[in-house]
Amino acid sequence: MYKQLLITGGAGFIGSNFVAHWLAQHPHTQVTILDLLTYAGNMANLQSVADNPNLSFVRGDIGDKALVSSLFAEKDFDCVVHFAAESHVDRSIEEPDIFLKTNVLGTHNLLECAKQHWLYPGAKPRTHLFHHVSTDEVFGSLQPGESPFTEENNYKPNSPYSASKAASDHLVRAYHNTYQLNTSICHCCNAFGPHQHTEKLIPKTIHAILSNKTIPVYGDGLQIRDWMYVHHTVEAIERIITKGEKGEAYNVGYNQEKTNMTLIGETCSLMDKLFADNTQLQRQFPEATKAAEGKSKELISHVEDRLGHDRRYAINANKLSAHLNFSQTGSFEENLLDTIRWFIQQHTKVSTIDI
């Protein structure tokens, strides 16, 4: 088992959930987080593990070769778990350069530093792994009725974001095949849960309802995504790291396809029910009048569609379940309700609300 982990982007949404999960499951390992703390990273995401003596944090850029090399030399990492990435599609449309810099050149720098530390001339063979966290978006868009993506699908990225992630995937695969670097890749579907940035669909919807503001929906809102609770996502990633085959890629999905309109509608309904069942919430959020009336869906407003908006993503995760014996527990509604409760608590910062 790996003893010294470098987790890039560990203060971000999925990264911070993974850090907490890994430390709970592997309490005798040492974890170093490298995060630049851009808009997506937040030290508050690590509050639950801040006092863990096995965790250290370094603020820095994955593209800084001197920094990354020095960390490898100091910590003697045997595993890299690479979450760090620019990931918001809208931002990639407006500023594609930063996505290429971070997602492609940054990943290449990490691979080079790992290769030089683990596979230098004369080095004795040692246990090591470079695990790269990617996305289902590299496969492009599916039409209704098409089979979900498998790991064998051709890459057809449609946005600067997904193109940059596809390029980084290819680099990871190339370092495995050319240099025999031990690698693995996971293609994750849409995750949701605690610590997600408020620009994402579910937290944006929750905060809009609490503030009685418009819930913006791109186009007709019938884009389809596969959704997975982040706690299950990080469990799957841990399983790939500890049990997966070197050089392999694994799809991480829940087989839970929903249109954006369906997901927003379910979020609105659960918010309305919470407000109906808890008058304390109504007092805490007097501006949330639509939720108090059970009419949160009236806040929905359709806006101009995103450029190059992929219509459907769907993941076939049979390889993960069959080869690595991975399964999930809990219903989607329970997971969504837990997420809503978490964001309400964060919005108020009042822990006495009983929801």
Side-chain angles (χ1 to χ4, degrees), residues 10 57 73 80 82 110 117 119 135 138 161 177 183-184 189 198-199 205 211 219 242 248 251 269 275 319 321 348:
F57 179 88
V80 174
H82 180 30
L110 288 169
H117 186 75
L119 303 177
T135 171
V138 299
Y161 161 62
N177 286 299
T183 66
S184 57
C189 70
T198 54
E199 70 189 1
T205 299
S211 304
T242 56
E248 290 293 319
N251 285 347
S269 296
F275 270 75
K319 181 177 177 179
S321 60
T348 61

PDB file of all heavy atoms in Angstrom, residues 10 57 73 80 82 110 117 119 135 138 161 177 183-184 189 198-199 205 211 219 242 248 251 269 275 319 321 348:
ATOM      1  N   GLY A  10      -6.293  19.217  -3.786  1.00  0.00           N
ATOM      2  CA  GLY A  10      -6.940  18.611  -2.622  1.00  0.00           C
ATOM      3  C   GLY A  10      -7.814  19.542  -1.823  1.00  0.00           C
ATOM      4  O   GLY A  10      -8.512  19.090  -0.911  1.00  0.00           O
ATOM      5  N   PHE A  57      -0.127  20.751   3.959  1.00  0.00           N
ATOM      6  CA  PHE A  57      -0.647  21.524   2.833  1.00  0.00           C
ATOM      7  C   PHE A  57       0.439  22.442   2.280  1.00  0.00           C
ATOM      8  O   PHE A  57       1.152  23.107   3.040  1.00  0.00           O
ATOM      9  CB  PHE A  57      -1.847  22.366   3.271  1.00  0.00           C
ATOM     10  CG  PHE A  57      -2.427  23.205   2.163  1.00  0.00           C
ATOM     11  CD1 PHE A  57      -3.399  22.687   1.323  1.00  0.00           C
ATOM     12  CD2 PHE A  57      -1.979  24.495   1.936  1.00  0.00           C
ATOM     13  CE1 PHE A  57      -3.919  23.441   0.287  1.00  0.00           C
ATOM     14  CE2 PHE A  57      -2.493  25.262   0.905  1.00  0.00           C
ATOM     15  CZ  PHE A  57      -3.472  24.733   0.069  1.00  0.00           C
ATOM     16  N   ALA A  73      11.403  15.185  -3.753  1.00  0.00           N
ATOM     17  CA  ALA A  73      12.659  14.878  -3.077  1.00  0.00           C
ATOM     18  C   ALA A  73      12.484  14.852  -1.566  1.00  0.00           C
ATOM     19  O   ALA A  73      13.044  13.993  -0.873  1.00  0.00           O
ATOM     20  CB  ALA A  73      13.717  15.908  -3.475  1.00  0.00           C
ATOM     21  N   VAL A  80       0.736   9.641  -6.651  1.00  0.00           N
ATOM     22  CA  VAL A  80       0.164  10.951  -6.973  1.00  0.00           C
ATOM     23  C   VAL A  80      -1.296  10.738  -7.343  1.00  0.00           C
ATOM     24  O   VAL A  80      -1.615   9.888  -8.180  1.00  0.00           O
ATOM     25  CB  VAL A  80       0.899  11.624  -8.155  1.00  0.00           C
ATOM     26  CG1 VAL A  80       0.190  12.917  -8.563  1.00  0.00           C
ATOM     27  CG2 VAL A  80       2.351  11.889  -7.792  1.00  0.00           C
ATOM     28  N   HIS A  82      -4.123  12.971  -8.908  1.00  0.00           N
ATOM     29  CA  HIS A  82      -4.119  14.253  -9.603  1.00  0.00           C
ATOM     30  C   HIS A  82      -5.544  14.750  -9.886  1.00  0.00           C
ATOM     31  O   HIS A  82      -6.176  14.368 -10.866  1.00  0.00           O
ATOM     32  CB  HIS A  82      -3.334  14.101 -10.905  1.00  0.00           C
ATOM     33  CG  HIS A  82      -3.243  15.339 -11.729  1.00  0.00           C
ATOM     34  ND1 HIS A  82      -3.240  16.606 -11.186  1.00  0.00           N
ATOM     35  CD2 HIS A  82      -3.151  15.499 -13.083  1.00  0.00           C
ATOM     36  CE1 HIS A  82      -3.142  17.492 -12.165  1.00  0.00           C
ATOM     37  NE2 HIS A  82      -3.101  16.848 -13.316  1.00  0.00           N
ATOM     38  N   LEU A 110       3.836  17.347 -13.785  1.00  0.00           N
ATOM     39  CA  LEU A 110       3.715  16.334 -12.735  1.00  0.00           C
ATOM     40  C   LEU A 110       4.237  14.979 -13.205  1.00  0.00           C
ATOM     41  O   LEU A 110       4.940  14.280 -12.468  1.00  0.00           O
ATOM     42  CB  LEU A 110       2.250  16.202 -12.313  1.00  0.00           C
ATOM     43  CG  LEU A 110       1.647  17.341 -11.499  1.00  0.00           C
ATOM     44  CD1 LEU A 110       0.135  17.178 -11.415  1.00  0.00           C
ATOM     45  CD2 LEU A 110       2.246  17.390 -10.091  1.00  0.00           C
ATOM     46  N   HIS A 117      11.663  11.030 -10.530  1.00  0.00           N
ATOM     47  CA  HIS A 117      11.847  10.561  -9.153  1.00  0.00           C
ATOM     48  C   HIS A 117      11.754   9.040  -9.057  1.00  0.00           C
ATOM     49  O   HIS A 117      12.499   8.423  -8.277  1.00  0.00           O
ATOM     50  CB  HIS A 117      10.809  11.202  -8.242  1.00  0.00           C
ATOM     51  CG  HIS A 117      11.008  10.902  -6.791  1.00  0.00           C
ATOM     52  ND1 HIS A 117      11.996  11.495  -6.029  1.00  0.00           N
ATOM     53  CD2 HIS A 117      10.359  10.053  -5.959  1.00  0.00           C
ATOM     54  CE1 HIS A 117      11.946  11.038  -4.791  1.00  0.00           C
ATOM     55  NE2 HIS A 117      10.956  10.155  -4.719  1.00  0.00           N
ATOM     56  N   LEU A 119      11.767   6.721 -11.841  1.00  0.00           N
ATOM     57  CA  LEU A 119      12.348   5.900 -12.913  1.00  0.00           C
ATOM     58  C   LEU A 119      13.677   6.445 -13.428  1.00  0.00           C
ATOM     59  O   LEU A 119      14.019   6.248 -14.583  1.00  0.00           O
ATOM     60  CB  LEU A 119      11.350   5.812 -14.087  1.00  0.00           C
ATOM     61  CG  LEU A 119       9.960   5.272 -13.767  1.00  0.00           C
ATOM     62  CD1 LEU A 119       9.077   5.318 -15.009  1.00  0.00           C
ATOM     63  CD2 LEU A 119      10.026   3.852 -13.214  1.00  0.00           C
ATOM     64  N   THR A 135     -12.670  13.063 -16.823  1.00  0.00           N
ATOM     65  CA  THR A 135     -14.097  13.329 -16.929  1.00  0.00           C
ATOM     66  C   THR A 135     -14.722  12.540 -18.081  1.00  0.00           C
ATOM     67  O   THR A 135     -14.036  12.200 -19.059  1.00  0.00           O
ATOM     68  CB  THR A 135     -14.329  14.842 -17.162  1.00  0.00           C
ATOM     69  OG1 THR A 135     -15.694  15.085 -17.479  1.00  0.00           O
ATOM     70  CG2 THR A 135     -13.481  15.341 -18.331  1.00  0.00           C
ATOM     71  N   VAL A 138     -14.675  13.921 -22.053  1.00  0.00           N
ATOM     72  CA  VAL A 138     -13.690  13.696 -23.122  1.00  0.00           C
ATOM     73  C   VAL A 138     -14.287  12.868 -24.263  1.00  0.00           C
ATOM     74  O   VAL A 138     -13.793  12.910 -25.395  1.00  0.00           O
ATOM     75  CB  VAL A 138     -12.415  13.003 -22.582  1.00  0.00           C
ATOM     76  CG1 VAL A 138     -11.739  13.860 -21.531  1.00  0.00           C
ATOM     77  CG2 VAL A 138     -12.722  11.610 -22.040  1.00  0.00           C
ATOM     78  N   TYR A 161     -12.461  22.967 -22.325  1.00  0.00           N
ATOM     79  CA  TYR A 161     -12.226  22.202 -21.100  1.00  0.00           C
ATOM     80  C   TYR A 161     -12.025  20.727 -21.400  1.00  0.00           C
ATOM     81  O   TYR A 161     -11.013  20.119 -21.013  1.00  0.00           O
ATOM     82  CB  TYR A 161     -13.380  22.381 -20.116  1.00  0.00           C
ATOM     83  CG  TYR A 161     -13.435  21.297 -19.068  1.00  0.00           C
ATOM     84  CD1 TYR A 161     -12.379  21.124 -18.168  1.00  0.00           C
ATOM     85  CD2 TYR A 161     -14.513  20.418 -18.982  1.00  0.00           C
ATOM     86  CE1 TYR A 161     -12.408  20.112 -17.211  1.00  0.00           C
ATOM     87  CE2 TYR A 161     -14.555  19.416 -18.029  1.00  0.00           C
ATOM     88  CZ  TYR A 161     -13.501  19.260 -17.149  1.00  0.00           C
ATOM     89  OH  TYR A 161     -13.528  18.254 -16.212  1.00  0.00           O
ATOM     90  N   ASN A 177       2.946   3.905 -21.461  1.00  0.00           N
ATOM     91  CA  ASN A 177       3.388   3.047 -22.558  1.00  0.00           C
ATOM     92  C   ASN A 177       4.835   3.319 -22.973  1.00  0.00           C
ATOM     93  O   ASN A 177       5.543   2.392 -23.387  1.00  0.00           O
ATOM     94  CB  ASN A 177       2.452   3.228 -23.760  1.00  0.00           C
ATOM     95  CG  ASN A 177       1.117   2.546 -23.542  1.00  0.00           C
ATOM     96  OD1 ASN A 177       1.035   1.341 -23.367  1.00  0.00           O
ATOM     97  ND2 ASN A 177       0.053   3.325 -23.520  1.00  0.00           N
ATOM     98  N   THR A 183       0.435   3.987 -14.101  1.00  0.00           N
ATOM     99  CA  THR A 183      -0.617   4.988 -14.117  1.00  0.00           C
ATOM    100  C   THR A 183      -1.988   4.321 -14.091  1.00  0.00           C
ATOM    101  O   THR A 183      -2.135   3.139 -14.380  1.00  0.00           O
ATOM    102  CB  THR A 183      -0.544   5.869 -15.387  1.00  0.00           C
ATOM    103  OG1 THR A 183      -0.837   5.053 -16.533  1.00  0.00           O
ATOM    104  CG2 THR A 183       0.821   6.512 -15.546  1.00  0.00           C
ATOM    105  N   SER A 184      -2.988   5.121 -13.772  1.00  0.00           N
ATOM    106  CA  SER A 184      -4.387   4.740 -13.962  1.00  0.00           C
ATOM    107  C   SER A 184      -5.180   6.023 -14.169  1.00  0.00           C
ATOM    108  O   SER A 184      -4.742   7.108 -13.786  1.00  0.00           O
ATOM    109  CB  SER A 184      -4.938   3.938 -12.769  1.00  0.00           C
ATOM    110  OG  SER A 184      -4.799   4.653 -11.563  1.00  0.00           O
ATOM    111  N   CYS A 189     -18.378  10.782 -13.945  1.00  0.00           N
ATOM    112  CA  CYS A 189     -19.582  11.502 -14.340  1.00  0.00           C
ATOM    113  C   CYS A 189     -19.765  12.710 -13.424  1.00  0.00           C
ATOM    114  O   CYS A 189     -18.927  12.984 -12.561  1.00  0.00           O
ATOM    115  CB  CYS A 189     -20.788  10.572 -14.265  1.00  0.00           C
ATOM    116  SG  CYS A 189     -21.269  10.117 -12.581  1.00  0.00           S
ATOM    117  N   THR A 198     -20.297  26.994  -5.819  1.00  0.00           N
ATOM    118  CA  THR A 198     -21.656  27.496  -6.009  1.00  0.00           C
ATOM    119  C   THR A 198     -21.982  27.836  -7.460  1.00  0.00           C
ATOM    120  O   THR A 198     -23.133  28.149  -7.776  1.00  0.00           O
ATOM    121  CB  THR A 198     -21.905  28.737  -5.136  1.00  0.00           C
ATOM    122  OG1 THR A 198     -20.882  29.717  -5.399  1.00  0.00           O
ATOM    123  CG2 THR A 198     -21.875  28.378  -3.659  1.00  0.00           C
ATOM    124  N   GLU A 199     -21.004  27.778  -8.354  1.00  0.00           N
ATOM    125  CA  GLU A 199     -21.290  27.999  -9.771  1.00  0.00           C
ATOM    126  C   GLU A 199     -21.906  26.758 -10.421  1.00  0.00           C
ATOM    127  O   GLU A 199     -22.439  26.831 -11.530  1.00  0.00           O
ATOM    128  CB  GLU A 199     -20.011  28.371 -10.523  1.00  0.00           C
ATOM    129  CG  GLU A 199     -19.035  27.229 -10.673  1.00  0.00           C
ATOM    130  CD  GLU A 199     -17.681  27.649 -11.230  1.00  0.00           C
ATOM    131  OE1 GLU A 199     -17.493  28.847 -11.476  1.00  0.00           O
ATOM    132  OE2 GLU A 199     -16.818  26.774 -11.419  1.00  0.00           O
ATOM    133  N   THR A 205     -28.713  26.180  -7.612  1.00  0.00           N
ATOM    134  CA  THR A 205     -30.160  26.103  -7.437  1.00  0.00           C
ATOM    135  C   THR A 205     -30.549  26.298  -5.978  1.00  0.00           C
ATOM    136  O   THR A 205     -31.489  27.040  -5.668  1.00  0.00           O
ATOM    137  CB  THR A 205     -30.677  24.736  -7.938  1.00  0.00           C
ATOM    138  OG1 THR A 205     -30.369  24.603  -9.332  1.00  0.00           O
ATOM    139  CG2 THR A 205     -32.168  24.601  -7.734  1.00  0.00           C
ATOM    140  N   SER A 211     -32.298  32.540  -1.545  1.00  0.00           N
ATOM    141  CA  SER A 211     -32.283  33.995  -1.733  1.00  0.00           C
ATOM    142  C   SER A 211     -33.471  34.494  -2.541  1.00  0.00           C
ATOM    143  O   SER A 211     -33.586  35.693  -2.799  1.00  0.00           O
ATOM    144  CB  SER A 211     -30.979  34.399  -2.439  1.00  0.00           C
ATOM    145  OG  SER A 211     -29.842  33.947  -1.729  1.00  0.00           O
ATOM    146  N   GLY A 219     -30.819  27.021 -22.205  1.00  0.00           N
ATOM    147  CA  GLY A 219     -31.643  26.492 -23.281  1.00  0.00           C
ATOM    148  C   GLY A 219     -32.930  25.879 -22.771  1.00  0.00           C
ATOM    149  O   GLY A 219     -33.611  26.442 -21.907  1.00  0.00           O
ATOM    150  N   THR A 242      -6.256   1.442  -5.119  1.00  0.00           N
ATOM    151  CA  THR A 242      -5.781   0.316  -4.304  1.00  0.00           C
ATOM    152  C   THR A 242      -5.917  -1.040  -4.997  1.00  0.00           C
ATOM    153  O   THR A 242      -5.160  -1.970  -4.696  1.00  0.00           O
ATOM    154  CB  THR A 242      -6.540   0.263  -2.962  1.00  0.00           C
ATOM    155  OG1 THR A 242      -7.957   0.187  -3.224  1.00  0.00           O
ATOM    156  CG2 THR A 242      -6.247   1.507  -2.135  1.00  0.00           C
ATOM    157  N   GLU A 248      -4.601   1.050 -16.808  1.00  0.00           N
ATOM    158  CA  GLU A 248      -6.009   0.941 -17.184  1.00  0.00           C
ATOM    159  C   GLU A 248      -6.775   2.237 -16.892  1.00  0.00           C
ATOM    160  O   GLU A 248      -6.377   3.045 -16.056  1.00  0.00           O
ATOM    161  CB  GLU A 248      -6.679  -0.204 -16.427  1.00  0.00           C
ATOM    162  CG  GLU A 248      -6.210  -1.581 -16.856  1.00  0.00           C
ATOM    163  CD  GLU A 248      -6.646  -1.902 -18.276  1.00  0.00           C
ATOM    164  OE1 GLU A 248      -7.789  -1.592 -18.650  1.00  0.00           O
ATOM    165  OE2 GLU A 248      -5.819  -2.474 -19.015  1.00  0.00           O
ATOM    166  N   ASN A 251     -14.313   3.870 -15.917  1.00  0.00           N
ATOM    167  CA  ASN A 251     -15.420   4.815 -15.849  1.00  0.00           C
ATOM    168  C   ASN A 251     -16.045   4.781 -14.459  1.00  0.00           C
ATOM    169  O   ASN A 251     -16.258   3.694 -13.893  1.00  0.00           O
ATOM    170  CB  ASN A 251     -16.492   4.478 -16.886  1.00  0.00           C
ATOM    171  CG  ASN A 251     -16.087   4.860 -18.294  1.00  0.00           C
ATOM    172  OD1 ASN A 251     -15.114   5.592 -18.487  1.00  0.00           O
ATOM    173  ND2 ASN A 251     -16.828   4.385 -19.272  1.00  0.00           N
ATOM    174  N   SER A 269     -38.433  20.588  -5.256  1.00  0.00           N
ATOM    175  CA  SER A 269     -39.439  19.865  -4.475  1.00  0.00           C
ATOM    176  C   SER A 269     -38.928  19.524  -3.081  1.00  0.00           C
ATOM    177  O   SER A 269     -39.664  19.648  -2.083  1.00  0.00           O
ATOM    178  CB  SER A 269     -39.857  18.590  -5.214  1.00  0.00           C
ATOM    179  OG  SER A 269     -40.500  18.897  -6.437  1.00  0.00           O
ATOM    180  N   PHE A 275     -38.946  23.259   3.849  1.00  0.00           N
ATOM    181  CA  PHE A 275     -39.537  24.490   4.377  1.00  0.00           C
ATOM    182  C   PHE A 275     -40.923  24.234   4.955  1.00  0.00           C
ATOM    183  O   PHE A 275     -41.310  24.839   5.968  1.00  0.00           O
ATOM    184  CB  PHE A 275     -39.594  25.561   3.283  1.00  0.00           C
ATOM    185  CG  PHE A 275     -38.369  26.423   3.215  1.00  0.00           C
ATOM    186  CD1 PHE A 275     -37.193  25.921   2.673  1.00  0.00           C
ATOM    187  CD2 PHE A 275     -38.363  27.714   3.715  1.00  0.00           C
ATOM    188  CE1 PHE A 275     -36.046  26.698   2.613  1.00  0.00           C
ATOM    189  CE2 PHE A 275     -37.220  28.501   3.666  1.00  0.00           C
ATOM    190  CZ  PHE A 275     -36.060  27.999   3.114  1.00  0.00           C
ATOM    191  N   LYS A 319     -17.121  -2.067 -15.931  1.00  0.00           N
ATOM    192  CA  LYS A 319     -15.751  -2.499 -15.677  1.00  0.00           C
ATOM    193  C   LYS A 319     -15.366  -2.272 -14.222  1.00  0.00           C
ATOM    194  O   LYS A 319     -14.736  -3.134 -13.584  1.00  0.00           O
ATOM    195  CB  LYS A 319     -14.797  -1.741 -16.605  1.00  0.00           C
ATOM    196  CG  LYS A 319     -13.335  -2.110 -16.454  1.00  0.00           C
ATOM    197  CD  LYS A 319     -12.490  -1.341 -17.468  1.00  0.00           C
ATOM    198  CE  LYS A 319     -11.013  -1.625 -17.316  1.00  0.00           C
ATOM    199  NZ  LYS A 319     -10.207  -0.887 -18.333  1.00  0.00           N
ATOM    200  N   SER A 321     -17.412  -2.113 -11.604  1.00  0.00           N
ATOM    201  CA  SER A 321     -18.141  -3.013 -10.713  1.00  0.00           C
ATOM    202  C   SER A 321     -17.693  -4.454 -10.875  1.00  0.00           C
ATOM    203  O   SER A 321     -17.544  -5.187  -9.894  1.00  0.00           O
ATOM    204  CB  SER A 321     -19.651  -2.886 -10.968  1.00  0.00           C
ATOM    205  OG  SER A 321     -19.975  -3.211 -12.301  1.00  0.00           O
ATOM    206  N   THR A 348     -26.242  29.382   6.284  1.00  0.00           N
ATOM    207  CA  THR A 348     -26.623  30.089   7.489  1.00  0.00           C
ATOM    208  C   THR A 348     -25.480  30.234   8.479  1.00  0.00           C
ATOM    209  O   THR A 348     -25.450  31.192   9.251  1.00  0.00           O
ATOM    210  CB  THR A 348     -27.757  29.336   8.209  1.00  0.00           C
ATOM    211  OG1 THR A 348     -27.292  28.041   8.580  1.00  0.00           O
ATOM    212  CG2 THR A 348     -28.971  29.182   7.310  1.00  0.00           C
TER     213      THR A 348
END
